[in-house]
Amino acid sequence: MPGTAPRLAALLWALLLALTPAAAAWARPVGSADGPADVALAVGLTTAAATATGLWLRSRYRREEAEHPGGGEDGEP
C-alpha cells in the first residue's frame, strides 16, 4: 500500500494550479521579466514542482529494503 507521498504530491499540484492567477498565463508585454521577484518566483515554482515529482517517484519506485534489510537479491547478507 503506498504511503501519503502520492496524495501530498497531488495536493501540491492541485494547490499550485488553483492558486495561480489566470492573469499570469496571459502573454502581454509589461516590461522586463528578469527582475529579482520574477527570478525568485521561477525558482520557487521549479523547486515545488521538482519536490512534488521527487516525492511521487520515491513513493512509486520505493525499494523493498525496508521489508528485507541487509539481504541482497541472491540471498547473500
Side-chain angles (χ1 to χ4, degrees):
M1 174 134 194
T4 59
R7 290 182 183 158
L8 179 63
L11 176 65
L12 289 174
W13 276 112
L15 286 173
L16 178 67
L17 293 175
L19 297 177
T20 302
W26 294 350
R28 60 179 186 250
V30 292
S32 174
D34 294 331
D38 295 321
V39 172
L41 178 63
V43 169
L45 289 177
T46 303
T47 301
T51 301
T53 304
L55 288 172
W56 175 75
L57 286 171
R58 180 180 176 201
S59 69
R60 183 162 174 107
Y61 299 106
R62 187 170 299 228
R63 295 182 185 170
E64 299 296 328
E65 292 176 6
E67 295 177 12
H68 307 290
E73 289 185 19
D74 56 356
E76 293 183 18

